[in-house]
């Protein structure tokens, strides 16, 4: 399959091109039914001859080119209607009836706050032109009205508040939020790409519109991406500030698969400047070695790294309900545990030569001893909960009594 992408240098186009390359080259094997041969990238720097050649040889068209921030209002119609007409005329010239999808906008509904949108009218004109083309030629036509498109590579300070917020907060630059209660409906580029693959495979998600809302409908005239997210501007900004603060508090928010938070975090990180990409951890150092918190979560505990100098014993405490996992990754050590109930003692020889996890069981006092005379003992430690200084579940008790 040869695929033509207009607007290939835009944020959606760039995401789609790189994803298609991964499928073409066998790196992404999630779409075994898609066989990609050529990817024709068309943008402003291409010539009419390029467009002519691409239109003569493509098997699927993703029409993502458009104008959304022109200098003159008239450019809306010229870019969103005019170029669509040029593209379709070129396909007609070569009698190419390949399926074509167009990335329109929910503003084309001209409903609600979009009722007086020049941009929306230009998008609607492009849609109608596309439907007419499909009726005249019999070519499959997929018209998508996308909400706010978000994800990596969006140009900041252009047409995406979320992209601008990510860019500015990552750089500690000021932002302006006039009304934090404004609700935004967003669709991420990765989800759009998956929907485009569905269309390429011949099973797009059809819908009709009731105002600005897409209603799933197998016989609907339009198509939509069913994976969408809603959040207020205030919620978005609060999350971005939490992401920004990780190098200070080490707290990671929920990373539930498919969640808005997880996708927004990935988007935010893509905007980090070089100087913010690397950060220092606070190491708690004494003569015994060091202890450093790496990652903290509000509901899934925390991960730390412990370094013990040769001959040093650490721990010597127990927990009521908190539990831990010790994982030695370097050096040679001994973990000792004693059950406070009956005095039973367990010992585990641990080494970075064989990575193992050892549970620190509630009600068992435990320690870890560096058996080496020359090497540090490096241990990754998981704790099931954060330290609560007001109610610490950690009580001193030697494992082996004198």
């Amino acid at each position: 399959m040869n695929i033509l992408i207009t607007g290939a240098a835009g944020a959606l186009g760039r995401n789609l091109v790189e994803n298609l390359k991964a499928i073409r080259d066998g790196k992404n094997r999630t779409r075994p039914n898609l066989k990609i041969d050529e990817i024709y990238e068309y943008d402003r720097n291409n010539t009419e001859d390029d467009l002519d050649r691409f239109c003569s040889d493509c098997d699927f068209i993703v029409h993502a080119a458009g104008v959304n921030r022109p200098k003159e209002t008239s450019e809306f119609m010229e870019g969103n209607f005019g170029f669509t007409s040029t593209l379709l005329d070129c396909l007609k010239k070569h009698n190419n009836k390949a399926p074509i999808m167009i990335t329109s906008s929910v503003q084309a509904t001209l409903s609600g706050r979009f009722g007086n949108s020049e941009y929306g009218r230009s998008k609607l004109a492009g849609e109608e032109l596309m439907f007419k083309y499909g009726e005249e030629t019999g070519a499959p036509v997929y018209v998508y009205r996308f909400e706010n498109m978000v994800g990596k590579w969006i140009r900041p300070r252009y047409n995406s508040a979320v992209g601008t917020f990510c860019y500015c907060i990552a750089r500690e630059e000021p932002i302006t939020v006039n009304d934090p209660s404004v609700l935004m409906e967003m669709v991420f580029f990765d989800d759009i790409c998956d929907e485009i693959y569905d269309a390429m495979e011949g099973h797009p998600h059809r819908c009709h519109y009731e105002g600005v809302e897409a209603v799933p409908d197998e016989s609907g005239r339009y198509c939509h991406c069913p994976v969408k997210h809603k959040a207020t501007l205030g919620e978005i900004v609060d999350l971005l500030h939490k992401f920004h603060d990780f190098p200070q508090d080490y707290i990671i928010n929920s990373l539930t698969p498919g969640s808005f938070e997880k996708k927004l975090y990935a988007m935010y990180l893509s905007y980090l400047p070089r100087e913010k990409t690397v950060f220092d951890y606070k190491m708690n150092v004494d003569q015994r070695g060091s202890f450093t918190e790496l990652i903290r979560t509000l509901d899934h505990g925390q991960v730390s790294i412990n370094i013990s100098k040769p001959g040093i014993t650490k721990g010597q405490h127990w927990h009521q309900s908190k539990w831990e996992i010790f994982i030695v990754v370097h050096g040679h050590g001994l973990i000792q545990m004693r059950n406070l109930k009956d005095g039973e003692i367990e010992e585990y020889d641990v080494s970075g030569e064989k990575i193992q996890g050892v549970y620190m069981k509630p009600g068992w006092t435990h320690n870890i001893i560096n058996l080496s005379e020359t090497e540090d003992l490096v241990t990754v430690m998981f704790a099931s909960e954060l330290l609560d200084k007001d109610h610490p579940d950690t009580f001193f008790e030697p494992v082996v009594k004198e």
Side-chain angles (χ1 to χ4, degrees), residues 325-329 335 348-359 379-380:
I325 300 175
F326 288 4
I327 308 161
V328 169
V329 296
I335 292 174
Y348 301 90
D349 190 88
V350 287
S351 168
E353 298 297 316
K354 182 181 181 182
I355 305 296
Q356 294 178 301
V358 182
Y359 285 111
T379 309
V380 176

Side-chain angles (χ1 to χ4, degrees), residues 315-321 340 365 391-398:
Q316 305 284 49
H317 60 242
W318 65 281
H319 313 292
Q320 293 276 15
S321 57
L340 298 183
T365 186
H391 301 89
D393 186 5
T394 301
F395 310 103
F396 175 76
E397 176 73 22

Side-chain angles (χ1 to χ4, degrees), residues 37-240:
D37 297 310
E38 296 292 336
I39 302 170
Y40 297 131
E41 302 177 42
Y42 182 87
D43 212 270
R44 297 176 185 229
N45 294 328
N46 291 97
T47 65
E48 292 182 7
D49 288 341
D50 290 333
L51 183 63
D52 188 76
R53 177 166 54 87
F54 297 160
C55 285
S56 69
D57 194 40
C58 61
D59 303 303
F60 193 98
I61 303 98
V62 178
H63 181 29
V67 173
N68 47 37
R69 287 290 295 272
K71 294 180 180 179
E72 301 293 336
T73 303
S74 60
E75 294 178 43
F76 277 134
M77 196 61 72
E78 178 183 340
N80 297 325
F81 175 83
F83 178 70
T84 299
S85 179
T86 299
L87 172 65
L88 297 182
D89 285 344
C90 195
L91 291 169
K92 287 179 184 178
K93 171 185 172 182
H94 293 285
N95 195 31
N96 187 339
K97 299 179 182 179
I100 180 170
M101 68 87 66
I102 182 172
T103 61
S104 187
S105 166
V106 70
Q107 292 195 38
T109 61
L110 300 180
S111 299
R113 67 182 186 277
F114 305 130
N116 189 32
S117 167
E118 192 67 33
Y119 173 70
R121 282 193 286 271
S122 69
K123 283 295 189 180
L124 180 60
E127 292 178 359
E128 293 302 324
L129 190 63
M130 192 68 67
F131 286 129
K132 183 179 178 182
Y133 168 80
E135 292 169 0
E136 291 177 352
T137 65
V141 168
Y142 309 128
V143 176
Y144 284 85
R145 287 176 166 175
F146 290 119
E147 296 76 17
N148 294 285
M149 292 189 286
V150 293
K152 61 183 180 295
W153 301 333
I154 284 179
R155 177 179 166 188
R157 298 194 179 97
Y158 185 58
N159 66 338
S160 169
V162 181
T164 299
F165 292 162
C166 286
Y167 178 89
C168 291
I169 291 174
R171 288 160 176 76
E172 300 179 3
E173 296 179 4
I175 62 171
T176 300
V177 181
N178 294 321
D179 185 355
S181 68
V182 169
L183 185 66
M184 291 189 66
E185 187 166 26
M186 292 156 284
V187 57
F188 282 85
F189 291 136
D190 290 345
D191 295 320
I192 294 175
C193 288
D194 278 334
E195 177 59 26
I196 291 174
Y197 303 153
D198 286 344
M200 289 178 178
E201 293 174 349
H203 50 89
H205 290 85
R206 292 281 183 179
C207 70
H208 69 265
Y209 275 85
E210 295 179 3
V212 298
E213 296 296 326
V215 179
D217 180 353
E218 291 184 4
S219 60
R221 190 186 194 199
Y222 291 91
C223 300
H224 76 122
C225 179
V227 183
K228 304 167 188 176
H229 301 273
K230 291 183 179 181
T232 65
L233 288 177
E235 290 169 338
I236 293 168
V237 170
D238 285 346
L239 281 172
L240 292 176

